[in-house]
Amino acid sequence: MRNRAFLYLLGLIGLLFLPLAAQAAGDSASLDNIRRKGVIRVGVKTDFSPYNSLNAQGEVVGFESDIAALIAGRLGVTLKKVSITTENRFQKLELGEVDILISTVGDTAARRKIATAVEPGYNETSVNVLFKPGEAVDTWPKIRHETICAVQGSYFNKPMSERYLLELQTYKTVRDAHLALRDGQCSGFLYATAALANTSKLPEWRGYTMPLPNALITPMAIFIARNEQGGELDLALGNILAELHRTGWLLEANNKWGIASTGWLTAQKAIWSEQDKNGQYKCVRNSSGLWVAACRSGEYVSSTEVTGMQAVGLWVKEQLGVDLNFIYDPYDRTQFLTGVAYSMLLITCSIAISLTLGIAVAIAVDGRSGLDTRAIHTIMAYGRLTPPLLMMYLIFFGFGSWTMREFGLKLPAFAVAAFCSGYYTAGMVMRAFLEAANHVRSSEPGYRLRLRQLARTAQYANWPVKQALINLTKQTMIASAIAIPELLSASSLLIAEKGNIFLTMTVLLITFYLITSLWTRLFDYLEKAWLPAAERP
């Protein structure tokens, strides 16, 4: 009897939940349901001008509102804007309170795990910091460990705090963060660049600036429910956005609302407008309903959609969980290979300078005395005993700032780095050859180091010279101190953009090992090929 009563109770509870389940099914964001209801509910923010904000009449207007209105018109339904915040927008989508989100949502891998990003994106977003008058800085490292205001739920809070060591003080709304900045609760306000630029134009924010370079440039996407991926709504919205790129509508709307752009929309218009020789668009959907790989972000393409090195890198990522972005991403791969090329060129130039200068000075002073000879020894000793990094700072920032101020002449960073590395090693090369010449003189008192006898002297100098040159190849990374675009700088850029610190630094270490090993083998080969032919004592 007691069991029967319990079953009745369960049944009653089930009947109570049936209307809720029916309502949830009716609120599904599928395209058929949206057209049947005749309304599309779009989640929009109201505190992010010029993307969306309230006008004097209390209406939500902005760049994203224009997109929402156009989509509603294309689908033949009425637009209903639902006010959301950065903090609750994905909750609203998951609960079915909105059908789609057009609310300055950056397209990130983490967000794709909880919702579906419609491709292509409709604009780009980046991050900057708004500073109070007189407190602005122009490089990110200068605000390390500073207290910075931010808005709860922003995708860039975690990566920016980790990469630039910021102490973030988060607030629920933009208005609260603005008030905190004005009251001196933080050194600056970390937020989307476009919104900050719009804020700085207002009369009450005169003097507030954001001179930092933009960070985390990311496409913004329309998001729909996760279970809608590949469905009719996903395809319909993607087709509309592709057309808006091709016609230039998005670019014109962006300019209409005065949104600063880094050229992303212009590049997207060119990509989606490109046609083959038959006049057909190159950006089309494949048999799976996805846009072809060339028109999508490489970060979200699978290994089965591409070929070559990109397929290899993506397969490694998918199967082993190792995200080597500079293998599968063409842009990052170019950056990395450019860095390797610059490293090799810098090492080559430094070696040429060190050998030429070191040998020439050794020949000039060997067996000679006098004031000029002692002066040369002093100059070379200075180069040998001064760390290359300190020398680079003295020349590039010290002497270089004087030439820039007095003559408007900027010293070339690459030449400064090559000279400093070569000058430092040249002192060691000179010393090795002079000691070798002294060794020869122990058996031949009249021996003098001259160019025609260089090979013979080199037999005794080769070991210390080779070690000095090997150490030179290891010093290449210090050139990044004056912004040489070599391997370390390129890798630092990849880290800043992708956040893949451990893997990138591991590959960097392996690459430097391979570069050093390559030069060591080259030195060994030249030693074996040249010295045996030299005249032996």
Side-chain angles (χ1 to χ4, degrees):
M1 191 73 180
R2 188 174 297 174
N3 291 338
R4 184 178 298 177
F6 179 70
L7 292 175
Y8 283 146
L9 178 61
L10 288 179
L12 180 60
I13 293 174
L15 289 174
L16 290 175
F17 276 97
L18 278 177
L20 296 178
Q23 181 182 359
D27 285 343
S28 172
S30 69
L31 187 58
D32 286 342
N33 286 334
I34 290 173
R35 284 175 169 160
R36 187 180 66 251
K37 293 183 297 183
V39 176
I40 184 168
R41 299 165 302 166
V42 180
V44 296
K45 294 169 65 177
T46 60
D47 61 351
F48 201 155
S49 177
Y51 288 93
N52 268 328
S53 61
L54 297 174
N55 63 11
Q57 291 73 40
E59 302 168 330
V60 180
V61 295
F63 174 74
E64 292 178 332
S65 285
D66 288 356
I67 297 175
L70 185 144
I71 289 175
R74 294 291 176 88
L75 297 181
V77 295
T78 301
L79 171 63
K80 180 181 179 180
K81 300 176 188 177
V82 180
S83 178
I84 59 174
T85 65
T86 299
E87 192 176 33
N88 68 14
R89 53 192 172 186
F90 280 101
Q91 295 174 358
K92 297 274 189 181
L93 181 64
E94 188 175 359
L95 292 173
E97 296 180 23
V98 296
D99 299 319
I100 66 175
L101 293 178
I102 311 181
S103 55
T104 63
V105 187
D107 185 2
T108 65
R111 284 172 172 169
R112 287 193 175 216
K113 293 179 181 178
I114 60 176
T116 297
V118 178
E119 296 180 353
Y122 62 87
N123 210 327
E124 62 175 348
T125 182
S126 59
V127 184
N128 214 305
V129 175
L130 186 68
F131 294 98
K132 296 181 70 173
E135 298 183 8
V137 297
D138 56 0
T139 61
W140 288 96
K142 292 181 180 179
I143 57 172
R144 286 177 180 172
H145 305 297
E146 292 286 335
T147 300
I148 303 295
C149 291
V151 176
Q152 293 177 6
S154 297
Y155 76 94
F156 44 77
N157 287 350
K158 185 174 185 292
M160 292 301 291
S161 64
E162 290 178 346
R163 295 175 199 181
Y164 299 106
L165 305 179
L166 307 179
E167 301 292 337
L168 295 187
Q169 189 167 279
T170 58
Y171 297 86
K172 299 192 75 170
T173 66
V174 173
R175 178 179 177 276
D176 292 340
H178 279 165
L179 292 175
L181 177 61
R182 280 188 173 278
D183 292 343
Q185 301 297 318
C186 48
S187 301
F189 176 30
L190 177 74
Y191 204 50
T193 304
L196 295 180
N198 193 69
T199 298
S200 64
K201 295 176 183 177
L202 299 175
E204 61 268 30
W205 291 90
R206 184 171 298 144
Y208 285 75
T209 57
M210 49 175 197
L212 290 173
N214 293 340
L216 289 183
I217 297 176
T218 307
M220 289 192 295
I222 295 175
F223 274 81
I224 57 179
R226 187 177 182 182
N227 60 2
E228 293 290 341
Q229 184 173 4
E232 290 184 354
L233 180 61
D234 186 9
L235 298 179
L237 293 175
N239 292 339
I240 292 173
L241 289 171
E243 182 185 350
L244 296 184
H245 277 301
R246 288 167 180 155
T247 60
W249 186 94
L250 287 170
L251 187 58
E252 292 175 3
N254 184 81
N255 296 334
K256 165 190 169 183
W257 288 99
I259 301 174
S261 175
T262 61
W264 185 84
L265 279 173
T266 302
Q268 290 296 304
K269 182 178 185 298
I271 291 172
W272 290 91
S273 300
E274 189 175 3
Q275 300 178 349
D276 59 22
K277 60 183 179 181
N278 297 320
Q280 300 297 317
Y281 289 119
K282 291 186 177 181
C283 289
V284 295
R285 296 189 183 275
N286 57 27
S287 57
S288 301
L290 297 172
W291 298 108
V292 294
C295 304
R296 302 175 63 206
S297 172
E299 188 175 357
Y300 305 118
V301 173
S302 68
S303 59
T304 59
E305 298 177 66
V306 293
T307 58
M309 289 297 296
Q310 188 175 8
V312 172
L314 288 172
W315 184 88
V316 171
K317 177 183 178 183
E318 295 162 0
Q319 301 299 322
L320 305 178
V322 179
D323 189 1
L324 300 176
N325 50 281
F326 46 86
I327 293 180
Y328 65 78
D329 189 294
Y331 174 78
D332 291 341
R333 184 166 62 249
T334 300
Q335 289 289 107
F336 191 80
L337 293 178
T338 300
V340 173
Y342 266 101
S343 291
M344 298 298 287
L345 180 60
L346 181 61
I347 292 171
T348 302
C349 293
S350 299
I351 289 174
I353 293 172
S354 61
L355 289 177
T356 302
L357 181 60
I359 293 173
V361 173
I363 292 174
V365 302
D366 184 49
R368 293 183 172 88
S369 60
L371 186 60
D372 56 342
T373 301
R374 288 197 295 272
I376 293 175
H377 274 285
T378 301
I379 293 173
M380 296 304 291
Y382 172 80
R384 186 176 72 252
L385 299 176
T386 304
L389 180 59
L390 177 58
M391 201 182 308
M392 288 180 193
Y393 274 110
L394 289 174
I395 296 177
F396 191 79
F397 295 110
F399 182 71
S401 62
W402 177 78
T403 60
M404 188 66 185
R405 182 178 64 253
E406 297 296 329
F407 309 104
L409 178 63
K410 182 179 180 180
L411 298 181
F414 187 93
V416 171
F419 171 77
C420 292
S421 297
Y423 180 29
Y424 174 76
T425 310
M428 301 178 185
V429 172
M430 179 200 77
R431 189 177 184 86
F433 271 91
L434 290 179
E435 290 179 352
N438 287 332
H439 176 75
V440 175
R441 272 193 291 273
S442 63
S443 58
E444 300 179 33
Y447 179 82
R448 291 293 180 270
L449 176 59
R450 296 294 180 264
L451 188 60
R452 63 180 178 273
Q453 298 170 312
L454 188 63
R456 182 180 179 187
T457 313
Q459 292 182 79
Y460 302 103
N462 69 312
W463 176 253
V465 169
K466 183 169 71 172
Q467 295 307 306
L469 295 181
I470 291 174
N471 288 332
L472 185 151
T473 65
K474 299 175 183 178
Q475 296 170 6
T476 308
M477 67 179 69
I478 66 175
S480 63
I482 56 174
I484 294 294
E486 42 75 66
L487 182 56
L488 184 62
S489 295
S491 299
S492 298
L493 179 62
L494 297 182
I495 291 173
E497 292 182 347
K498 304 296 183 179
N500 201 349
I501 299 176
F502 176 76
L503 283 174
T504 304
M505 292 306 294
T506 300
V507 173
L508 177 65
L509 178 63
I510 295 172
T511 304
F512 267 106
Y513 171 78
L514 293 175
I515 289 176
T516 303
S517 298
L518 175 63
W519 281 101
T520 301
R521 288 181 176 275
L522 180 60
F523 296 147
D524 289 340
Y525 172 78
L526 293 176
E527 180 184 15
K528 293 177 181 178
W530 183 46
L531 290 184
E535 180 185 354
R536 295 185 178 274

